[in-house]
Amino acid sequence: MRRRRLLASLVAAGTAGCLELESAESTAARRTTARTRATTRPAAGDGTGEATNAEEPTDEETTTEEPREYTEPAWTFAPEGELVRPPVVVDDAVVTAAEREPAYALDAENGSERWTTDADVAGRRRPVVVDDTVVFSNVRGMTAVAAGDGRERWRADANISSRPAVDGRTLYAYGFEYSQELAAVDVDTGSVQWSREPESGLGGARSTVFVDGVVVDTHYKDAVYGFDAANGDQLWSFPNPKDGTEPIDLATDGTRVFATYSNSTSGGAGPLVALDPADGSLQWSQHEDGETLESSPYLVAHDDTLYVSHTGLHAVDPTNGFTKWFNEDVHGIVTPADGTVYVGSGGHDGVVLYALNPETGRITGRVHAAYADAWGLRPAIADDRAYLLETTADGNRLAAYDLPN
C-alpha cells in the first residue's frame, strides 16, 4: 500500500485532457533572475525611525527538458455531478465533492470508491482536515464528516466566506449568528465555544489565520484585526495602508502574520506586510509602490519562506521581507510537498506544474498539461503523486498523475 500523508490540498480547473511528465535532467535552459527589491521598516520600538532598501541581483540558470510523450493518469474518477471541491488527501484516501452531489472518498492507490455522503458539502473551498475529521464550509454553514466512513458528525448554521483557521481541536470562522459573528467551534461536537460581533464586521480575505493565541481576520474596506483566541475579544487593528487598498490574503509562519492587498483605485496590488500577532505592529513592508506585484497576489508560508505568487514567484525571507529569489517563468499558486515547491504556470508550450528547489528557485522537473488554467492547476500532492480536478472533452473528473522522480 502506498504511503500517504496530508501535504497540500488545492484544486485544478480549466481543461486538462492529458499530462506530460518531464525529468529533472534537462536539455533546454531557461533564465531565472534572483533579485531583491524590498523596503523594510524597523520593528516597533527599535528607535531607528529609518527604512532600509536592498537590491541584490544575481543570475542563475534553471533547466527544463523538451516535452516527451503524454502520460495517461494512474486512475480517474468521473461521477455524474461536476466535481468542484478541491481534493484533500487523508491517510490513504482522496476526498473531494461535487457542486450539487455527494462528497466522495477514493482510494489514493487505485481510485476505487471508499464512501459517499449526502451531507451538505456544496461549495468550492477546499475542506479542512483535523485528524480523522473533514470539515466542509460554505454559505450555509459547516459540516463535519468522519474521514473513515463519511458519516456526518455535526452541522453548524453559518455563512462562511473565508477558509476557517485551526488550532488543535478548535476551528475559528466568521459568519455565525446571521453572518455577523466570529466564533470558535469545537471540531469534535460542532458546539460554539464563544462568538463575538466585531465592531466593523469581517470579510474579504481568502483565509482566517491562527497564530500564537490570536485569531486574525480582515475587513476589506477597513483593516486587519487580531482577536483573543480564548474569548474573541479584539486585541488590535492594523488599518489599510493606503486609500483604495483592500486586504486580499493572509498567511502565517507561526511567528508573524503576513497580509497582501489589492488596490481598487489603480487596479494593481498594495504592499506586502508582516505584522506582530501580539499587538498588530508593523514589522516590515515590501512592494509599497504596488507596481512590482499584480492585483490579488496569493500567499503561502512554508519552511521559513513566504511565497508570493503573481506574474512571477517571489520567495521572501519572512524575518525581514527581502526576496531570496524570484522566478519570472512561473506564476501560479504554490503547493509545498516533501522538500519541493510545486507551482502551476502558463507558458509558450502550455500549462506546466513545475517542481522547484525551494532554496534556489531552480526548476527540477515538471508535469505538462496541454490545456488548463495556470492558476487552477493546484493539485493535492502526497508522496509521488498529484491529484487534481480537470475538465476533458467528456466532462469533469478527478485524476491521479505520478510525478517525475
Side-chain angles (χ1 to χ4, degrees), residues 354-379:
Y354 287 103
L356 277 68
N357 183 320
E359 299 298 325
T360 66
R362 293 170 63 94
I363 297 170
T364 60
R366 66 182 186 176
V367 174
H368 186 270
Y371 303 98
D373 175 5
W375 288 93
L377 192 62
R378 300 159 50 194

Side-chain angles (χ1 to χ4, degrees), residues 91-102:
D91 296 327
D92 58 353
V94 184
V95 179
T96 185
E99 187 169 20
R100 293 182 177 86
E101 300 292 334

